[in-house]
Amino acid sequence: MPNAILKEALAVVGGTEEMLEEPLHGAALDFGALPPLTRRERWSLGLTRFGLSRGDPLLQEKLRVRRILAELPTRFGAEGPGLTHPSQLAPYLERLTDLPDALSDEEIMLESALAALLIEYRFKHSVQRGLMCYYSKLAKTAFSEGYKKQKIVGKIDNSDEMAQVLGGIREKYMLFIRDYLYAILTREDVLKGKPLFSDLLTAVLFLSRIGEGGVLGKEPDERRLPGRSSLLFVALRDPVLLKAAADSGFQRSLSRSIKEFPVKEAVA
């Protein structure tokens, strides 16, 4: 993760009403220091600088993430230009979803910082609109509108009408995926009923069938589907899904659905 579908969803701006009138400057970005590099890591860096080693890929990734953490306050903190829409966080969210397990300290800090910004945006956007805009509720609405259109696809035999309907479904499903990802990162638990994770599987399976020119394939395009490791990233952060997983029937249903997704590392 992110693959083509998820990556595109993170960058979606739903409309001008989603933009903040005044940029927010994240008050929660003054996070503590990460553990210093170990002696072995410092030694490895020294060897790399002198051309005596090609460098450790994991260490290089650690340094990249630490540079990102240093960059966040300068962009979205008190002295930076600020955040007007979560789509500005897309590159950082993509990096978060693709971090190696070994970088747990960096992952926790990056996730905490991004979640704090998403929570602040949710509050300011809600104040601006005069109602509480929970990401999970927005996601549910977008999915319902997209799924309603999906159910009539089999009745359409005109190519122009099909392309138009598929475009509408794609728009709604992208908004759904985006807001659902925001919801799980901020650990929202405000909905009742079926977990949104099940809707995520439905949406990405359908989106992966939509080809160029508004043509709908019979089978999902495996290259566009997120891998199971990507689904695990989402599942472990969804409090609603974790509660529902206690039901054995739901477990079996979810297992059958996940078998349609490839076992692979997501392509960045």
Side-chain angles (χ1 to χ4, degrees):
M1 188 178 182
N3 73 338
I5 292 174
L6 301 179
K7 181 176 182 178
E8 188 173 349
L10 286 172
V12 165
V13 178
T16 55
E17 74 281 356
E18 291 188 345
M19 304 296 292
L20 294 180
E21 295 170 355
E22 296 290 336
L24 73 84
H25 300 275
L29 290 178
D30 295 327
F31 33 73
L34 284 162
L37 297 180
T38 65
R39 178 181 295 179
R40 181 175 182 177
E41 288 172 332
R42 294 196 302 272
W43 180 251
S44 176
L45 282 177
L47 292 175
T48 303
R49 291 192 188 102
F50 286 110
L52 299 173
S53 170
R54 294 183 179 178
D56 178 357
L58 183 62
L59 177 56
Q60 295 304 318
E61 179 67 3
K62 175 183 282 193
L63 294 175
R64 279 192 289 270
V65 178
R66 292 188 176 210
R67 285 195 291 271
I68 285 173
L69 286 165
E71 179 184 313
L72 285 175
T74 65
R75 289 200 60 189
F76 307 116
E79 304 302 323
L83 182 80
T84 55
H85 191 276
S87 60
Q88 293 166 270
L89 301 176
Y92 308 104
L93 291 167
E94 291 169 25
R95 177 66 67 182
L96 171 67
T97 59
D98 207 28
L99 285 182
D101 293 338
L103 301 184
S104 58
D105 290 331
E106 287 74 15
E107 179 185 62
I108 290 169
M109 192 167 286
L110 181 57
E111 184 170 350
S112 297
L114 295 175
L117 287 168
L118 288 169
I119 289 169
E120 284 196 63
Y121 170 84
R122 182 180 63 198
F123 173 75
K124 290 184 179 293
H125 184 225
S126 297
V127 171
Q128 183 172 297
R129 295 191 64 185
L131 73 162
M132 193 60 204
C133 300
Y134 286 108
Y135 294 123
S136 49
K137 290 186 176 180
L138 294 171
K140 187 62 179 178
T141 298
F143 177 80
S144 297
E145 292 172 354
Y147 191 65
K148 188 182 297 184
K149 293 177 182 291
Q150 181 180 332
K151 289 194 292 187
I152 68 169
V153 164
K155 303 175 183 178
I156 299 173
D157 53 15
N158 180 279
S159 58
D160 290 337
E161 184 182 356
M162 174 67 83
Q164 183 177 2
V165 171
L166 291 179
I169 295 171
R170 186 177 180 281
E171 177 186 358
K172 293 300 180 182
Y173 277 175
M174 285 291 178
L175 287 170
F176 156 68
I177 293 169
R178 179 201 70 178
D179 287 330
Y180 175 49
L181 293 175
Y182 294 164
I184 61 130
L185 288 169
T186 54
R187 303 298 199 273
E188 283 188 0
D189 185 3
V190 298
L191 293 179
K192 305 297 182 184
K194 185 178 70 172
L196 292 179
F197 186 82
S198 302
D199 296 336
L200 175 68
L201 302 183
T202 298
V204 293
L205 283 169
F206 188 82
L207 287 172
S208 71
R209 293 172 55 198
I210 300 177
E212 295 182 4
V215 177
L216 187 66
K218 292 183 178 180
E219 298 293 335
D221 182 351
E222 186 175 299
R223 295 170 299 176
R224 303 191 67 217
L225 287 175
R228 295 184 200 177
S229 61
S230 302
L231 298 180
L232 181 62
F233 176 92
V234 175
L236 291 176
R237 287 160 175 78
D238 187 337
V240 180
L241 176 65
L242 294 178
K243 290 178 183 177
D247 179 82
S248 59
F250 180 78
Q251 285 182 24
R252 289 192 294 271
S253 173
L254 198 61
S255 296
R256 288 194 296 270
S257 298
I258 289 175
K259 285 180 181 178
E260 298 190 56
F261 291 79
V263 179
K264 66 177 182 179
E265 292 299 323
V267 178

